[in-house]
Amino acid sequence: MRRGRGPASASSTASSSSALFGGESATSSPALDTRIPDLLKELHQLIQQTQEERARSEHNLTNIQKTHERIQYEQKGKSKGTSTAVSPYFKSKLRGLYSTAKADAEVEADLLRKCLDKIAQIKAIRNERRIAAKSAGIFMEQEPPRKTMRRGVLMTLLQQSAMTLPLWIGKPGESPPPLCGAVQAGSDYVAKPGDKVAARVKGPDGDEQWILAEVVSFNTGTNKYEVDDIDSEEGKERHTLSRRRVIPLPQWKANPETDPEALFHKDTLVLALYPQTTCFYRALIHAPPTRPQDDYSVLFEDTSYADGYSPPLTVAQRYVVSCKESKKR
């Protein structure tokens, strides 16, 4: 079972890899430049409003705590045999306080959703700028010769990409959208330029493998993608692939506390990015995340172990996708 991509592909270029993970070129459109500062200003205002709302609601939460303490104090003072039921006065008071707390929480949640929308808009504009620069050939024609980057830096960028993947926060009763956690995209979905995908390509030795790649384009006439290997100098390893050989990666993390159905369950067969590589391998879910910041625990298929599986290893939600093949080969 091959874990690495070989010495020749162990290094990439600093400019190429930073671009692949959302970095920007020095040249960009003035219209886009003015939009981002405006959005950042709006985001800052929303964050301030959220902090003010949270501070305002603290007084009501303190009243709830004090009311419960008062109830406990009065119940302790009652003689044996006396009813310890909460009085109608305190029931009414708590009902009002909790109704206010619920309304305050809904206002704060709405502000936080607006903050997330602003962040998503900023990221989309930055990605649009990067794609436009690549299409114009700015990186190839105007930049000095690229310097190779240590593999550890690429691995750090992969980790950062996983950590900054937004958490899906829907409204009550709202279902997670496609590409949230384990929720697959529809059969007619087409990944956009710049999207990260798992791509099935032929390796140098002729064997097929699933690699981490970035979409360059999609040809509606041929129904095929062009993708760049994430672990090679930009454009040096470009592959033309049919749609069935490309799996879009999740665009949101699923929250195990509110949307557990949007996660892969224990013993589900998946493709997961093997730690410290840019290759996906077949694995079984050993344990799904239990908190929003948690990763999957997976068992990679590995014939060097007696039971055919590796010890449990952690893989971020960003790099775990569905595997449609049979459980054992």
Side-chain angles (χ1 to χ4, degrees), residues 206-267:
D207 290 341
E208 293 195 336
Q209 57 185 344
W210 287 94
I211 66 168
L212 180 59
E214 182 182 75
V215 173
V216 176
S217 63
F218 179 76
N219 188 320
T220 54
T222 62
N223 211 32
K224 291 185 176 181
Y225 285 102
E226 277 199 338
V227 302
D228 276 346
D229 185 343
I230 208 87
D231 196 13
S232 68
E233 190 171 328
E234 187 177 329
K236 287 293 182 69
E237 287 194 33
R238 183 161 292 180
H239 304 273
T240 301
L241 305 170
S242 62
R243 290 174 70 168
R244 65 185 178 83
R245 288 178 169 265
V246 174
I247 304 175
L249 297 191
Q251 296 181 0
W252 295 276
K253 283 188 287 190
N255 189 341
E257 297 170 352
T258 58
D259 303 298
E261 74 283 359
L263 291 165
F264 292 110
H265 300 300
K266 182 177 172 61
D267 294 330

Side-chain angles (χ1 to χ4, degrees), residues 41-54:
K41 184 177 179 180
E42 293 171 12
L43 176 60
H44 183 259
Q45 291 172 344
L46 284 168
I47 292 172
Q48 284 187 318
Q49 291 176 32
T50 304
Q51 291 174 330
E52 291 167 1
E53 179 63 30
R54 185 169 296 177

